[in-house]
PDB file of all heavy atoms in Angstrom:
ATOM      1  N   VAL D 294     -52.999  20.359  49.507  1.00 97.00           N
ATOM      2  CA  VAL D 294     -54.375  19.985  49.856  1.00 97.00           C
ATOM      3  C   VAL D 294     -55.236  20.055  48.589  1.00 97.00           C
ATOM      4  O   VAL D 294     -55.036  20.921  47.731  1.00 97.00           O
ATOM      5  CB  VAL D 294     -54.956  20.890  50.967  1.00 97.00           C
ATOM      6  CG1 VAL D 294     -54.232  20.651  52.280  1.00 97.00           C
ATOM      7  CG2 VAL D 294     -54.888  22.371  50.594  1.00 97.00           C
ATOM      8  N   LEU D 295     -56.167  19.136  48.498  1.00 97.00           N
ATOM      9  CA  LEU D 295     -57.018  19.024  47.314  1.00 97.00           C
ATOM     10  C   LEU D 295     -58.336  19.770  47.485  1.00 97.00           C
ATOM     11  O   LEU D 295     -59.295  19.513  46.771  1.00 97.00           O
ATOM     12  CB  LEU D 295     -57.284  17.547  47.005  1.00 97.00           C
ATOM     13  CG  LEU D 295     -56.025  16.693  46.818  1.00 97.00           C
ATOM     14  CD1 LEU D 295     -56.403  15.227  46.585  1.00 97.00           C
ATOM     15  CD2 LEU D 295     -55.177  17.217  45.659  1.00 97.00           C
ATOM     16  N   SER D 296     -58.362  20.727  48.413  1.00 94.00           N
ATOM     17  CA  SER D 296     -59.575  21.506  48.686  1.00 94.00           C
ATOM     18  C   SER D 296     -59.678  22.760  47.826  1.00 94.00           C
ATOM     19  O   SER D 296     -60.643  23.516  47.935  1.00 94.00           O
ATOM     20  CB  SER D 296     -59.615  21.896  50.169  1.00 94.00           C
ATOM     21  OG  SER D 296     -58.409  22.526  50.564  1.00 94.00           O
ATOM     22  N   GLY D 297     -58.678  22.982  46.961  1.00 89.00           N
ATOM     23  CA  GLY D 297     -58.669  24.174  46.118  1.00 89.00           C
ATOM     24  C   GLY D 297     -58.811  23.837  44.652  1.00 89.00           C
ATOM     25  O   GLY D 297     -59.762  23.180  44.244  1.00 89.00           O
ATOM     26  N   VAL D 298     -57.815  24.232  43.855  1.00 86.00           N
ATOM     27  CA  VAL D 298     -57.935  24.087  42.400  1.00 86.00           C
ATOM     28  C   VAL D 298     -57.274  22.830  41.847  1.00 86.00           C
ATOM     29  O   VAL D 298     -57.471  22.491  40.680  1.00 86.00           O
ATOM     30  CB  VAL D 298     -57.328  25.326  41.685  1.00 86.00           C
ATOM     31  CG1 VAL D 298     -58.068  26.585  42.086  1.00 86.00           C
ATOM     32  CG2 VAL D 298     -55.841  25.461  41.968  1.00 86.00           C
ATOM     33  N   THR D 299     -56.492  22.117  42.664  1.00 93.00           N
ATOM     34  CA  THR D 299     -55.729  20.971  42.167  1.00 93.00           C
ATOM     35  C   THR D 299     -56.435  19.653  42.480  1.00 93.00           C
ATOM     36  O   THR D 299     -56.936  19.460  43.583  1.00 93.00           O
ATOM     37  CB  THR D 299     -54.321  20.943  42.778  1.00 93.00           C
ATOM     38  OG1 THR D 299     -53.667  22.186  42.505  1.00 93.00           O
ATOM     39  CG2 THR D 299     -53.486  19.824  42.195  1.00 93.00           C
ATOM     40  N   THR D 300     -56.450  18.753  41.511  1.00 94.00           N
ATOM     41  CA  THR D 300     -56.981  17.405  41.700  1.00 94.00           C
ATOM     42  C   THR D 300     -55.825  16.400  41.651  1.00 94.00           C
ATOM     43  O   THR D 300     -54.707  16.735  41.227  1.00 94.00           O
ATOM     44  CB  THR D 300     -57.997  17.041  40.610  1.00 94.00           C
ATOM     45  OG1 THR D 300     -57.299  16.943  39.345  1.00 94.00           O
ATOM     46  CG2 THR D 300     -59.082  18.106  40.495  1.00 94.00           C
ATOM     47  N   MET D 301     -56.088  15.172  42.055  1.00 96.00           N
ATOM     48  CA  MET D 301     -55.059  14.125  41.994  1.00 96.00           C
ATOM     49  C   MET D 301     -54.541  13.943  40.575  1.00 96.00           C
ATOM     50  O   MET D 301     -53.349  13.706  40.356  1.00 96.00           O
ATOM     51  CB  MET D 301     -55.619  12.813  42.534  1.00 96.00           C
ATOM     52  CG  MET D 301     -55.749  12.756  44.045  1.00 96.00           C
ATOM     53  SD  MET D 301     -54.163  12.843  44.924  1.00 96.00           S
ATOM     54  CE  MET D 301     -53.435  11.268  44.462  1.00 96.00           C
ATOM     55  N   ASP D 302     -55.429  14.052  39.594  1.00 95.00           N
ATOM     56  CA  ASP D 302     -55.027  13.865  38.200  1.00 95.00           C
ATOM     57  C   ASP D 302     -54.073  14.966  37.729  1.00 95.00           C
ATOM     58  O   ASP D 302     -53.287  14.750  36.806  1.00 95.00           O
ATOM     59  CB  ASP D 302     -56.258  13.845  37.285  1.00 95.00           C
ATOM     60  CG  ASP D 302     -57.112  12.604  37.484  1.00 95.00           C
ATOM     61  OD1 ASP D 302     -56.571  11.593  37.984  1.00 95.00           O
ATOM     62  OD2 ASP D 302     -58.312  12.650  37.155  1.00 95.00           O
ATOM     63  N   ASP D 303     -54.152  16.145  38.357  1.00 96.00           N
ATOM     64  CA  ASP D 303     -53.291  17.256  37.941  1.00 96.00           C
ATOM     65  C   ASP D 303     -51.836  17.065  38.358  1.00 96.00           C
ATOM     66  O   ASP D 303     -50.921  17.592  37.713  1.00 96.00           O
ATOM     67  CB  ASP D 303     -53.790  18.581  38.554  1.00 96.00           C
ATOM     68  CG  ASP D 303     -55.143  18.999  38.022  1.00 96.00           C
ATOM     69  OD1 ASP D 303     -55.432  18.694  36.853  1.00 96.00           O
ATOM     70  OD2 ASP D 303     -55.903  19.632  38.785  1.00 96.00           O
ATOM     71  N   ILE D 304     -51.605  16.335  39.430  1.00 96.00           N
ATOM     72  CA  ILE D 304     -50.272  16.279  40.041  1.00 96.00           C
ATOM     73  C   ILE D 304     -49.232  15.722  39.071  1.00 96.00           C
ATOM     74  O   ILE D 304     -48.100  16.222  38.987  1.00 96.00           O
ATOM     75  CB  ILE D 304     -50.317  15.467  41.351  1.00 96.00           C
ATOM     76  CG1 ILE D 304     -51.238  16.163  42.354  1.00 96.00           C
ATOM     77  CG2 ILE D 304     -48.918  15.293  41.936  1.00 96.00           C
ATOM     78  CD1 ILE D 304     -51.558  15.354  43.588  1.00 96.00           C
ATOM     79  N   ASP D 305     -49.603  14.697  38.304  1.00 95.00           N
ATOM     80  CA  ASP D 305     -48.653  14.065  37.387  1.00 95.00           C
ATOM     81  C   ASP D 305     -48.277  14.943  36.201  1.00 95.00           C
ATOM     82  O   ASP D 305     -47.362  14.608  35.443  1.00 95.00           O
ATOM     83  CB  ASP D 305     -49.216  12.736  36.873  1.00 95.00           C
ATOM     84  CG  ASP D 305     -49.113  11.630  37.908  1.00 95.00           C
ATOM     85  OD1 ASP D 305     -48.302  11.781  38.847  1.00 95.00           O
ATOM     86  OD2 ASP D 305     -49.852  10.630  37.794  1.00 95.00           O
ATOM     87  N   LYS D 306     -48.962  16.071  36.039  1.00 96.00           N
ATOM     88  CA  LYS D 306     -48.639  16.986  34.940  1.00 96.00           C
ATOM     89  C   LYS D 306     -47.385  17.803  35.231  1.00 96.00           C
ATOM     90  O   LYS D 306     -46.877  18.498  34.351  1.00 96.00           O
ATOM     91  CB  LYS D 306     -49.822  17.928  34.677  1.00 96.00           C
ATOM     92  CG  LYS D 306     -51.099  17.221  34.263  1.00 96.00           C
ATOM     93  CD  LYS D 306     -52.259  18.202  34.152  1.00 96.00           C
ATOM     94  CE  LYS D 306     -53.566  17.495  33.835  1.00 96.00           C
ATOM     95  NZ  LYS D 306     -54.724  18.429  33.846  1.00 96.00           N
ATOM     96  N   PHE D 307     -46.910  17.744  36.468  1.00 97.00           N
ATOM     97  CA  PHE D 307     -45.767  18.568  36.871  1.00 97.00           C
ATOM     98  C   PHE D 307     -44.535  17.701  37.112  1.00 97.00           C
ATOM     99  O   PHE D 307     -44.653  16.545  37.556  1.00 97.00           O
ATOM    100  CB  PHE D 307     -46.113  19.347  38.145  1.00 97.00           C
ATOM    101  CG  PHE D 307     -47.224  20.336  37.957  1.00 97.00           C
ATOM    102  CD1 PHE D 307     -48.561  19.946  38.109  1.00 97.00           C
ATOM    103  CD2 PHE D 307     -46.964  21.651  37.613  1.00 97.00           C
ATOM    104  CE1 PHE D 307     -49.590  20.855  37.931  1.00 97.00           C
ATOM    105  CE2 PHE D 307     -47.983  22.563  37.429  1.00 97.00           C
ATOM    106  CZ  PHE D 307     -49.292  22.165  37.582  1.00 97.00           C
ATOM    107  N   PRO D 308     -43.329  18.225  36.844  1.00 97.00           N
ATOM    108  CA  PRO D 308     -42.097  17.446  37.008  1.00 97.00           C
ATOM    109  C   PRO D 308     -41.571  17.450  38.448  1.00 97.00           C
ATOM    110  O   PRO D 308     -40.410  17.124  38.686  1.00 97.00           O
ATOM    111  CB  PRO D 308     -41.114  18.152  36.065  1.00 97.00           C
ATOM    112  CG  PRO D 308     -41.567  19.571  36.055  1.00 97.00           C
ATOM    113  CD  PRO D 308     -43.072  19.522  36.183  1.00 97.00           C
ATOM    114  N   TYR D 309     -42.397  17.828  39.392  1.00 97.00           N
ATOM    115  CA  TYR D 309     -42.041  17.822  40.810  1.00 97.00           C
ATOM    116  C   TYR D 309     -43.290  17.438  41.582  1.00 97.00           C
ATOM    117  O   TYR D 309     -44.396  17.450  41.032  1.00 97.00           O
ATOM    118  CB  TYR D 309     -41.535  19.202  41.261  1.00 97.00           C
ATOM    119  CG  TYR D 309     -42.450  20.340  40.872  1.00 97.00           C
ATOM    120  CD1 TYR D 309     -43.538  20.701  41.670  1.00 97.00           C
ATOM    121  CD2 TYR D 309     -42.257  21.050  39.696  1.00 97.00           C
ATOM    122  CE1 TYR D 309     -44.398  21.720  41.311  1.00 97.00           C
ATOM    123  CE2 TYR D 309     -43.106  22.085  39.324  1.00 97.00           C
ATOM    124  CZ  TYR D 309     -44.175  22.412  40.132  1.00 97.00           C
ATOM    125  OH  TYR D 309     -45.029  23.425  39.771  1.00 97.00           O
ATOM    126  N   CYS D 310     -43.123  17.086  42.834  1.00 96.00           N
ATOM    127  CA  CYS D 310     -44.286  16.659  43.608  1.00 96.00           C
ATOM    128  C   CYS D 310     -44.171  17.138  45.048  1.00 96.00           C
ATOM    129  O   CYS D 310     -43.064  17.378  45.548  1.00 96.00           O
ATOM    130  CB  CYS D 310     -44.448  15.142  43.568  1.00 96.00           C
ATOM    131  SG  CYS D 310     -43.062  14.245  44.276  1.00 96.00           S
ATOM    132  N   PRO D 311     -45.313  17.297  45.727  1.00 97.00           N
ATOM    133  CA  PRO D 311     -45.294  17.701  47.131  1.00 97.00           C
ATOM    134  C   PRO D 311     -44.842  16.537  48.007  1.00 97.00           C
ATOM    135  O   PRO D 311     -44.890  15.373  47.599  1.00 97.00           O
ATOM    136  CB  PRO D 311     -46.760  18.052  47.408  1.00 97.00           C
ATOM    137  CG  PRO D 311     -47.536  17.226  46.441  1.00 97.00           C
ATOM    138  CD  PRO D 311     -46.687  17.114  45.209  1.00 97.00           C
ATOM    139  N   LYS D 312     -44.409  16.856  49.223  1.00 96.00           N
ATOM    140  CA  LYS D 312     -44.015  15.787  50.148  1.00 96.00           C
ATOM    141  C   LYS D 312     -45.243  15.064  50.679  1.00 96.00           C
ATOM    142  O   LYS D 312     -45.224  13.852  50.890  1.00 96.00           O
ATOM    143  CB  LYS D 312     -43.189  16.355  51.304  1.00 96.00           C
ATOM    144  CG  LYS D 312     -42.639  15.289  52.228  1.00 96.00           C
ATOM    145  CD  LYS D 312     -41.489  15.769  53.072  1.00 96.00           C
ATOM    146  CE  LYS D 312     -40.882  14.606  53.860  1.00 96.00           C
ATOM    147  NZ  LYS D 312     -39.740  15.037  54.685  1.00 96.00           N
TER     148      LYS D 312
END
Side-chain angles (χ1 to χ4, degrees):
V294 293
L295 304 177
S296 52
V298 299
T299 304
T300 67
M301 285 296 292
D302 291 338
D303 294 328
I304 297 170
D305 283 341
K306 299 174 184 175
F307 296 87
Y309 50 85
C310 62
K312 185 161 186 179

